[in-house]
């Protein structure tokens, strides 16, 4: 890591004085600004940065509709016994250090990835080997979603020279259209076009990535022309940016949901009537409009419209019904006391809601929910903690309620997330103290089912169970607003947040 | 020479005290913080999408978090003595490496802020002292009082709103070139200059009434020489001494201003570390800031010794 | 001439402080619930019907929240200042009376605490339990007591060394006599000044910490956290961000002017 001295900083100042004539035209850099810092070199921790910047690639990619497409793998097929997936590699792919992308290199990278925390570690993989130029992944039971798991950022393929002793990653030598030239973790990286990439040569020569935590600052950078792509715009800044002629704002709904996780082991939430009452007491429409500035984001169910197979189309939009909520709470035995807080058998309805600041809107939503539930007689204490305290609280049973944001397409197939979150023991980021044998059976069958229509029916069944029982209460779906500078063209937003698609962009002038 | 050794010796002792205090406090923090450290680390490393029990257990084994407390304490203090500040629980990088990056930025910001305030504050104070009691003097004092009362983050906020957002002249945050430094450094400099101009003014006014100045005038020296040779040097003493107090304001201000302007310095890192309960980073940054503070104080002591011969012990 | 100036600024300071105090004590009795949200009426500007100072991003009345925040901040600041003053005072008296190794130990302790800037101390304390009020309070008191200790020790030291003190001691009059008749007249005004400055510093520190996110939990209204929460909306509602800042500046200025006029 470099240490910038005063002189070095001044010397490196871009555009020091406006209108200064330059001896030669500098190479333009496409600057990407996001909130997410680069947490080191390990793909399990920061692979998503290298994947999105197209520095490193996975075997399998996704297209605009979320379907799987070949990337480093040319094609893949399932063996007759349905226990082995074979991935044929693309010819002519090379790493940035010139070595070819061989099956051995890929297998080594994937074996290492499986040993780290991530979705691949959760998949029932038995062994990953290289056989006759193909990568073979053997599973313990038929697992049809496996290719989707190989699209995840933890499974990026790095050259053998990237790994040092003990498997630690020493350098990022990927196979993508851009080659890493400078890494100043955790804030920024620079990359330039790699001539040996297997795809069509990208028009943009140089790219850089900068992590800027404050939403306001990112918006200011978009307005001021200090960046060409600015992602995850803060909701309050989107309107302002839309009015700015320099910038084009593209908002794409993504398969992420903000939800309330309830501990159904507690006497409060064991009763489904109470859970439904909590859902009715929420003003989801108000929160989506006023706080998230996204009226269509008010969630009436767990899966957003961005996942058409899982989304139940005929449910009514969410509406607050405080009277119905109060009726349900009364029915469940929770009577309002003199201070307005409900109680039953001497125990007051007092719950601690844990949330975190990794997503900046969560604390504000938590405060709004606190006010709304107070009107229904539930006393909520908001605790803003480190996001790790939610799985910790799930495991040791101390978690009462949590507000979190869940990525439903960690791997492009939501079944992976469903299995993790609504398993027999619940899930650290899903149900707690609740499970449904019917849901588990449907999920298991889905893992083995190839027919799309049958899969859709099973998905709808699972979604319907979650909607009726509400072990987690959906609050709002996510929008992903990205600002593109009008100096660029060809930009698009990947709803699965896998790639910034810079290789397909060009300068507009 | 004796005074020099004594001053430096006192500061060295202070530095050692700072290191011990910070080290022990941070160790206590590790033991007393509620919640499970392993989960916290895992959340920082893998992000909220991937943190779960398996990840936490892996972290626990890797960092040896379940050793008995006395082993951990001796390991902790031993590391501190060897300047091994450990590894950040969040990023996994060595604290010393991260600090060296942040240190550069903080020093840049502090130096620019001090320079700006030194260029504006004392000269302004001296100018106002030329005509004590005038309308300019009284307005200056009033403005100074208001600026001293407004906290640094409010000043910074107003500057950001006006110059970065409304007028768009300067970038709102980040590091890059000289333009990014202007707003945070100005914010700090305003608070510092408000104090130093007041001190300079009062010092000059006191000096202006002093007998030796009157004597210098009766000697027939021109006014310019009077000021340069006698007044300024005498007035410089309280101003420089006040610099010590100002350093407190500077260090505290740096923490707040860096966070406001997303300036990746040590103050920003300290706040992040406290929020994430990344104890090695808290220790490292608190230590760094404390030691910088002691070092700057030592520099002020030396300057005072150099300027004011009365402070030196009789040789 | 300077005395007249100082008295004048003192009056201005007291008036300012009184205004802010009045706002904090009286207005909460007149306005509604500072926690009551109305998501259909968010970010209303000052002067909107029914809301004299507008509403914040959750539809809560700015007037009510500002008033409660005033009460909270000034109350906490006064408590912190007193909490720092009492031990500082007692220890300073002890050091000046006993002298010898007791004094040396206490002076060393004070110097040790002074080695770190106050905000750093408070941050370290806050790291133990972010969001809780007690560590902030303890940290601030710890950072401030040293000033009281030093002041008391030096004034008491010089008073006890005087011939009148010696004479009183020989006459058999106990320490209480000395305190009441010799020490208090000199120490009293200086203590008041220091109390004012400590309170001002406490107000600033509390708000600064809330601003960076190490303050009190939601939905407690506090000037610094209000500014942080409203900062994203500065474009649609610039006044909302500035209002808590103005109150903060006014109260700090009032405390500083009332305490000493010089304000350095």
């Amino acid at each position: 890591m470099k240490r910038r001295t005063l002189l070095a900083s001044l010397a490196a100042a871009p555009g020091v004085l406006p209108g200064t004539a330059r001896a030669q035209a500098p190479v333009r850099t496409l600057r990407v600004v996001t909130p997410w810092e680069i947490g080191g070199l390990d793909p399990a921790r920061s692979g998503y940065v290298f994947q999105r910047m197209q520095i490193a690639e996975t075997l399998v990619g996704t297209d605009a509709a979320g379907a799987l497409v070949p990337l480093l793998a040319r094609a893949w097929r399932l063996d007759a016994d349905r226990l082995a997936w074979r991935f044929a590699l693309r010819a002519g792919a090379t790493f940035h250090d010139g070595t070819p992308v061989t099956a051995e290199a890929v297998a080594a990278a994937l074996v290492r990835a499986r040993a780290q925390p991530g979705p691949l570690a959760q998949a029932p993989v038995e062994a990953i080997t290289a056989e006759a130029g193909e990568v073979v992944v053997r599973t313990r039971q038929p697992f049809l979603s496996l290719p989707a798991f190989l699209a995840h950022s933890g499974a990026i393929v790095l050259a053998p020279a990237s790994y040092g002793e003990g498997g630690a990653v020493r350098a990022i030598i990927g196979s993508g259209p851009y080659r890493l030239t400078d890494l100043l973790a955790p804030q920024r990286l620079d990359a330039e076009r790699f001539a040996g990439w297997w795809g069509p040569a990208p028009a943009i020569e140089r790219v850089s990535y900068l992590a800027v935590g404050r939403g306001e600052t990112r918006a200011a950078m978009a307005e001021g022309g200090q960046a060409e792509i600015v992602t995850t715009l803060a909701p309050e800044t989107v309107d302002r940016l839309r009015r700015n002629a320099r910038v084009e704002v593209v908002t794409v709904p993504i398969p992420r949901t903000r939800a309330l996780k309830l501990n159904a082991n507690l006497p409060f939430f064991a009763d489904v009537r109470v859970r439904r009452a909590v859902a009715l007491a929420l003003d989801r429409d108000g929160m989506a409009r006023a706080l998230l500035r996204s009226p269509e984001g008010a969630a009436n169910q767990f899966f957003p419209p961005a996942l058409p197979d899982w989304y139940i189309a005929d449910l009514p939009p969410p509406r607050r019904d405080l009277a119905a909520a109060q009726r349900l709470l009364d029915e469940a035995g929770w009577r309002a006391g003199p201070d307005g807080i409900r109680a039953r058998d001497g125990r007051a309805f007092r719950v601690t809601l844990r949330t975190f600041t990794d997503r900046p809107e969560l604390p504000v939503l938590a405060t709004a929910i606190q006010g709304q539930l107070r009107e229904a007689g539930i006393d909520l204490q908001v605790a803003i903690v480190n996001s790790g305290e939610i799985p910790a609280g799930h495991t040791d049973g101390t978690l009462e309620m949590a507000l979190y944001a869940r990525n439903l397409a960690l791997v492009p197939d939501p079944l992976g997330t469903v299995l993790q979150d609504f398993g027999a023991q619940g899930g650290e980021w899903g149900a707690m103290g609740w499970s449904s044998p019917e849901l588990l059976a449907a999920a298991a069958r889905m893992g083995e089912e190839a027919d799309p229509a049958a899969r859709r029916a099973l998905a709808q069944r699972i979604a319907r169970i979650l909607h009726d029982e509400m072990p987690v209460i959906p609050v709002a779906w996510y929008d992903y607003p990205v600002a593109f500078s009008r100096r660029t063209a060809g930009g698009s937003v990947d709803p699965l947040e896998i790639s910034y698609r810079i290789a397909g962009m060009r300068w507009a002038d | 020479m004796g005074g020099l050794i004594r001053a430096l010796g006192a500061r060295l002792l202070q530095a050692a005290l700072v290191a011990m205090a910070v080290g022990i406090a941070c160790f206590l923090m590790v033991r007393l913080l509620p919640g499970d450290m392993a989960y916290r680390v895992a959340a920082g490393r893998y992000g909220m999408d991937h943190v779960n029990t398996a990840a936490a257990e892996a972290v626990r084994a890797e960092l040896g978090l379940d050793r008995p407390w006395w082993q951990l304490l001796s390991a902790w203090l031993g590391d501190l003595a060897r300047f091994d500040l450990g590894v950040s629980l969040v990023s996994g990088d060595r604290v010393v490496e991260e600090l060296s990056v942040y240190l550069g930025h903080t020093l840049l910001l502090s130096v620019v802020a001090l320079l700006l305030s030194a260029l504006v504050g004392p000269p302004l104070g001296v100018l106002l002292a030329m005509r004590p009691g005038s309308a300019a003097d009284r307005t200056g004092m009033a403005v100074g009082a208001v600026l001293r009362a407004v906290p640094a983050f409010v000043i910074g906020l107003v500057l950001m709103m006006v110059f970065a957002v409304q007028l768009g002249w300067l970038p709102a945050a980040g590091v890059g070139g000289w333009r990014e430094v202007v707003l945070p450094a100005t914010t700090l400099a305003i608070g510092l200059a408000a104090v130093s101009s007041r001190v300079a003014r009062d010092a000059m006014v006191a000096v202006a009434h002093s007998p030796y100045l009157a004597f210098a005038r009766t000697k027939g020296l021109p006014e310019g020489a009077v000021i340069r040779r006698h007044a300024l040097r005498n007035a410089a003493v309280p101003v420089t001494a006040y610099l010590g107090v100002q350093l407190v304001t500077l260090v505290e201000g740096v923490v707040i201003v860096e966070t406001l302007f997303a300036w990746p310095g040590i103050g920003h890192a300290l706040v992040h570390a406290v929020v994430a309960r990344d104890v090695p980073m808290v220790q490292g940054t608190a230590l760094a800031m404390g030691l910088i503070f002691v070092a700057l104080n030592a520099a002020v002591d030396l300057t005072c010794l150099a300027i004011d011969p009365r402070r030196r012990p009789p040789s | 001439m300077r005395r007249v100036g100082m008295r004048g600024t003192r009056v201005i300071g007291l008036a300012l402080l009184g205004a802010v105090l009045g706002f904090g004590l009286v207005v909460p009795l007149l306005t509604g619930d500072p926690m009551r949200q109305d998501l259909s009426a968010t970010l209303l500007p000052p002067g909107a019907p029914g809301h004299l100072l507008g509403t914040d991003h959750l539809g809560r009345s700015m007037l009510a929240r500002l008033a409660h925040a005033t009460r909270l901040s000034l109350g906490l600041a006064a408590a912190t200042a007193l909490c720092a003053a009492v031990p500082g005072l007692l220890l300073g008296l002890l050091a000046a009376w006993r002298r010898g190794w007791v004094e040396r130990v206490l002076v060393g302790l004070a110097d040790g605490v002074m080695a770190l800037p106050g905000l750093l101390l408070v941050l370290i304390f806050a790291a133990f339990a972010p969001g809780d009020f007690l560590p902030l309070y303890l940290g601030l008191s710890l950072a401030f007591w040293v000033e009281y200790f030093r002041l008391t020790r030096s004034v008491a030291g010089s008073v006890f060394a005087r011939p009148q003190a010696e004479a009183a001691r020989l006459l058999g009059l106990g320490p209480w006599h000395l305190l009441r008749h010799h020490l208090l007249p000199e120490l009293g005004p200086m203590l008041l000044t220091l109390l004012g400055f400590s309170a001002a510093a406490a107000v600033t520190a509390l708000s600064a910490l809330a601003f960076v996110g190490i303050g009190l939990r939601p939905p407690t209204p506090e000037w610094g956290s209000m500014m942080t929460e409203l900062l994203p909306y500065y474009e649609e509602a610039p006044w909302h961000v500035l209002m808590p800042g103005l109150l903060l500046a006014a109260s700090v200025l009032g405390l500083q002017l009332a305490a000493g006029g010089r304000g350095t």
Side-chain angles (χ1 to χ4, degrees):
Chain A
M1 284 198 263
K2 286 198 186 159
R3 188 175 145 182
R4 293 213 169 186
T5 63
L6 169 63
L7 288 174
S9 297
L10 290 178
V16 170
L17 290 168
T20 311
R22 286 171 179 268
Q24 77 234 124
V27 179
R28 279 164 36 172
T29 306
L30 185 125
R31 296 162 292 185
V32 177
V33 169
T34 83
W36 317 116
E37 292 189 335
I38 310 168
L41 293 175
D42 193 324
R45 291 160 59 162
S46 51
Y48 65 91
V49 177
F50 306 117
Q51 185 189 38
R52 288 176 189 173
M53 293 298 286
Q54 298 182 284
I55 293 173
E57 296 173 308
T58 49
L59 280 180
V60 174
T62 57
D63 66 7
L68 299 178
V69 296
L71 208 53
L72 274 181
R74 184 174 35 89
W76 51 90
R77 66 183 194 286
L78 187 59
D79 266 0
D81 63 1
R82 308 216 300 169
L83 290 176
W85 280 94
R86 290 177 194 275
F87 294 85
L89 293 181
R90 183 180 295 276
T94 49
F95 290 115
H96 296 152
D97 61 356
T99 60
V101 177
T102 62
E104 286 73 22
V106 174
L110 290 180
V111 165
R112 199 190 159 278
R114 203 171 119 237
Q116 307 291 320
L120 201 54
Q122 316 275 339
V125 171
E126 180 94 14
I128 306 177
T129 50
E131 292 172 18
E134 289 188 331
V135 178
V136 181
V137 179
R138 293 206 160 72
T139 58
R140 279 191 289 275
Q141 65 229 30
F143 195 60
L144 274 79
S145 313
L146 182 83
F149 279 67
L150 292 180
H152 176 74
S153 60
I156 51 173
V157 176
L158 300 176
S162 317
Y163 302 102
E165 283 185 22
V169 177
R170 284 178 320 151
I172 299 289
I173 306 172
S175 57
Y178 290 100
R179 182 175 65 87
L180 184 65
T181 56
D182 193 10
L183 178 63
L184 261 81
Q187 233 90 34
R188 85 180 261 150
L189 67 77
D190 295 312
E192 64 179 21
R193 198 167 52 192
F194 173 55
W197 187 52
W198 50 266
I204 310 272
E205 236 181 86
R206 301 253 271 260
V207 298
S208 80
Y209 177 100
L210 184 66
V212 174
R214 275 202 119 93
E216 180 45 59
T217 313
R218 289 199 298 283
M221 291 176 85
E223 274 184 314
Q226 291 175 276
E228 278 71 42
I229 301 181
V230 180
T231 74
T232 323
L233 299 170
E236 317 77 46
T237 59
V238 171
D239 280 335
R240 193 169 97 220
L241 286 171
R242 280 190 210 279
R243 282 179 272 142
N244 190 316
R246 271 173 159 172
V247 160
E248 190 195 345
V249 177
V250 177
T251 305
V252 165
I254 57 176
R256 236 183 227 276
T257 303
R258 301 167 184 98
L260 281 173
K261 176 185 164 84
L262 305 171
N263 182 352
N265 289 322
L266 294 176
F268 311 116
F269 300 122
D271 190 334
V272 65
R273 284 174 300 188
V274 174
R275 301 199 294 266
R276 291 217 190 101
V278 170
L280 285 168
L282 294 179
D283 182 5
R284 288 178 270 197
D285 192 55
M287 287 192 284
R289 266 172 215 286
L291 298 175
L292 301 172
R293 311 290 171 101
S294 161
E296 318 80 36
N300 59 358
Q301 57 185 287
F302 191 62
F303 297 100
L307 295 170
D309 275 351
W310 300 77
Y311 174 69
I312 308 171
D314 52 13
L315 285 178
R319 216 175 37 88
R320 185 181 202 210
D321 193 345
L322 195 56
Q326 283 165 332
R327 229 176 21 247
L328 279 172
L329 285 167
D330 283 332
E331 257 179 53
W334 294 95
R335 303 293 162 146
D339 59 354
I341 307 295
R342 295 176 180 271
R344 189 179 78 177
D345 304 330
R347 184 158 179 189
F349 204 141
R350 201 156 270 141
V351 189
T352 301
L353 172 72
R354 294 187 197 179
T355 189
F356 43 88
T357 54
D358 300 32
R359 294 270 166 175
E361 73 281 354
L362 290 179
V364 180
L365 283 174
T367 313
I369 292 175
Q370 184 185 42
Q372 289 154 21
L373 290 184
R374 184 73 178 67
E375 290 178 24
I378 300 176
D379 184 17
L380 215 59
Q381 303 284 320
V382 174
I384 301 187
V385 299
N386 183 292
S387 58
E389 312 246 347
I390 295 185
H394 175 95
T395 309
D396 63 20
T398 57
L399 182 67
E400 297 181 354
M401 206 169 159
L403 176 66
Y404 66 106
R406 188 55 167 149
N407 187 348
L408 295 172
L410 264 183
V411 295
D413 184 351
L415 180 62
T417 316
V418 168
L419 286 172
Q420 265 194 306
D421 290 353
F422 300 106
Q425 316 296 329
E428 286 167 349
W429 289 104
M432 187 173 176
W434 176 93
S435 71
S436 156
E438 206 193 326
L439 187 149
L440 289 172
R445 270 219 314 286
M446 240 183 119
E448 305 178 357
E449 181 62 67
D451 173 31
R455 286 181 72 103
R456 184 163 193 287
L458 288 168
Q460 290 278 308
R461 183 88 208 98
I462 295 177
R464 183 62 74 164
I465 297 173
L466 287 178
H467 177 70
D468 290 336
E469 298 274 316
M470 284 209 198
V472 297
I473 302 180
V475 175
W477 301 314
Y478 259 93
D479 271 344
Y480 187 49
V482 178
F484 291 96
S485 163
R486 287 197 194 270
R487 290 202 305 268
T488 63
S492 61
V493 178
D494 180 4
L496 294 177
E497 302 176 86
I498 284 181
S499 159
Y500 293 135
R501 307 205 179 139
I502 301 176
M505 291 175 68
R506 62 186 192 285
W507 295 107
D509 43 21
Chain B
M1 204 49 204
L4 193 69
I5 304 244
R6 206 173 325 141
L8 285 180
R11 291 297 174 191
L12 267 173
L13 188 61
Q14 202 180 31
L17 273 174
V18 166
M20 274 271 295
V22 171
I24 294 188
C26 288
F27 180 77
L28 281 175
M29 224 182 282
V30 175
R31 311 301 302 168
L32 296 177
L33 276 180
D36 196 333
M37 182 73 93
Y39 278 94
R40 220 171 293 130
V41 176
R45 279 194 193 173
Y46 303 113
M48 81 182 175
D49 281 340
H50 295 307
V51 57
N52 53 29
T53 305
E57 291 307 316
V59 166
R60 198 191 306 277
E62 179 195 329
L63 295 180
L65 291 176
D66 41 6
R67 286 178 289 170
W69 73 266
W70 45 271
Q71 271 189 24
L72 289 173
L73 177 60
S74 57
W76 193 274
L77 289 178
D79 286 341
L80 194 59
R82 279 178 289 134
F83 285 119
D84 176 1
L85 294 173
V87 158
S88 163
L89 298 185
V90 169
S91 72
D93 295 317
R94 299 195 58 227
V95 171
V96 179
E97 281 172 18
E98 290 201 22
L99 279 183
S100 64
V101 178
Y102 297 143
L103 188 65
H105 293 138
T106 297
L107 283 180
L108 172 62
L109 181 62
S110 312
V111 165
V112 174
L114 279 173
L115 275 177
L116 274 177
S117 84
L119 283 173
V120 171
L124 200 61
V126 167
L127 270 173
L128 289 177
M130 295 297 173
R131 286 177 219 12
S134 66
D137 184 34
R138 273 208 283 263
T139 331
M141 294 226 277
V143 169
V146 171
L147 285 178
R148 275 190 299 275
V150 179
F153 67 93
V154 178
I155 297 182
L157 207 65
V158 172
L159 285 179
M160 186 202 258
M161 281 168 65
V162 170
F163 288 102
V165 182
Q166 282 298 108
L167 298 174
W169 289 350
L170 291 165
V175 242
W178 68 265
R179 296 171 87 205
E180 276 80 3
V181 147
V182 171
L183 279 182
T186 313
T187 307
L188 284 172
I190 286 182
L192 293 173
V195 175
S196 62
S197 70
R198 180 59 192 261
V199 173
R201 176 210 171 269
D202 286 350
M204 273 304 273
V205 167
V207 159
H209 290 133
S210 62
Y212 52 83
L213 218 63
F215 181 62
R217 285 200 189 97
T218 59
K219 262 204 299 188
L221 281 174
E223 192 66 17
V226 167
I227 296 188
R228 267 196 333 267
R229 245 194 260 169
H230 297 279
L232 277 181
R233 182 148 173 188
N234 278 285
V237 176
V239 176
T240 322
Y242 231 91
L243 212 49
V245 175
Q246 294 224 280
L247 286 175
V248 179
T249 319
L250 179 66
V251 170
E252 298 185 352
V254 156
V255 173
I256 304 298
V257 165
E258 283 185 359
T259 307
L260 172 62
F261 289 100
W263 184 264
I266 294 195
H268 190 180
L270 175 57
V271 172
H272 263 210
V274 169
V275 172
R277 272 116 137 202
D278 182 0
V279 181
M281 249 341 241
V282 172
Q283 178 178 259
T285 46
L287 200 60
M289 293 202 89
L291 290 179
I292 292 178
F293 179 63
V294 172
L296 286 175
N297 270 306
V300 168
D301 283 351
L302 291 178
T303 323
C304 277
L305 270 180
I307 296 184
D308 189 355
R310 294 175 297 182
R311 293 210 180 191
R312 303 175 197 150
S315 36
Chain C
M1 168 156 154
R2 200 179 305 162
R3 259 222 219 106
V4 168
M6 265 182 78
R7 216 183 297 144
T9 51
R10 262 220 170 88
V11 166
I12 298 178
L14 283 169
L16 205 49
L17 192 60
V20 176
L21 262 174
F23 180 69
L25 288 173
V26 171
V27 173
L29 302 171
L30 303 173
T31 59
D33 188 357
M35 320 288 195
R36 191 156 183 291
Q37 301 173 9
D38 183 2
L39 288 175
S40 61
T42 60
L43 292 174
L44 293 177
H51 295 281
L52 200 59
L53 290 179
T55 59
D56 73 353
H57 59 304
L58 285 172
R60 300 177 293 198
S61 160
M62 285 295 285
L63 185 64
R65 286 185 73 77
L66 285 171
H68 278 86
T70 308
R71 202 188 247 186
L72 182 75
S73 283
L74 290 180
L76 286 182
T80 310
L82 284 172
C83 211
V86 169
L89 199 66
L90 291 175
L91 288 175
L93 284 174
L94 184 65
W97 186 260
R98 280 262 172 261
R99 316 232 64 179
W101 66 269
V102 170
E103 184 179 25
R104 274 203 292 271
V105 163
L106 286 173
V107 169
L109 191 65
D111 279 344
V113 171
M114 282 301 272
L116 272 179
L119 199 65
L120 282 191
L121 262 175
V122 182
L123 274 173
I124 294 183
F125 267 81
F128 281 87
D132 266 355
F133 161 59
L134 195 61
L136 291 180
Y137 188 61
L138 285 175
L140 283 172
S141 306
L142 186 66
F144 290 161
W145 75 272
V146 179
E147 296 286 333
Y148 293 92
F149 170 76
R150 288 205 171 147
L151 178 71
T152 312
R153 172 175 161 262
S154 83
V155 173
S158 71
V159 164
F160 290 162
R162 285 195 203 135
Q164 298 98 311
E166 198 55 41
R169 227 192 283 227
L170 287 172
L171 280 175
L173 293 167
W176 280 113
H177 173 92
L178 275 174
L179 277 171
R180 257 181 46 227
H181 292 274
H182 296 271
L183 189 54
L184 213 52
E186 258 199 66
L187 193 56
M190 293 200 214
L191 263 182
L192 277 178
T193 306
L194 199 53
L195 274 172
F197 282 120
S198 304
V203 168
T204 310
L206 279 170
S207 288
L209 289 170
F211 185 75
V212 298
I214 306 178
L216 308 169
R217 289 183 189 184
T220 320
E222 199 280 329
W223 288 324
S225 53
M226 283 173 78
M227 290 177 80
T228 311
E229 284 173 14
L230 289 166
L231 180 55
Y233 306 100
Y234 77 89
E235 211 232 351
E236 321 158 46
W239 280 110
H240 289 63
V241 193
L242 293 174
M243 280 194 267
L246 285 172
L247 268 178
L248 173 59
S251 54
V252 173
L253 186 61
L255 278 168
Q256 285 182 342
L257 291 179
R262 277 171 137 262
T264 47

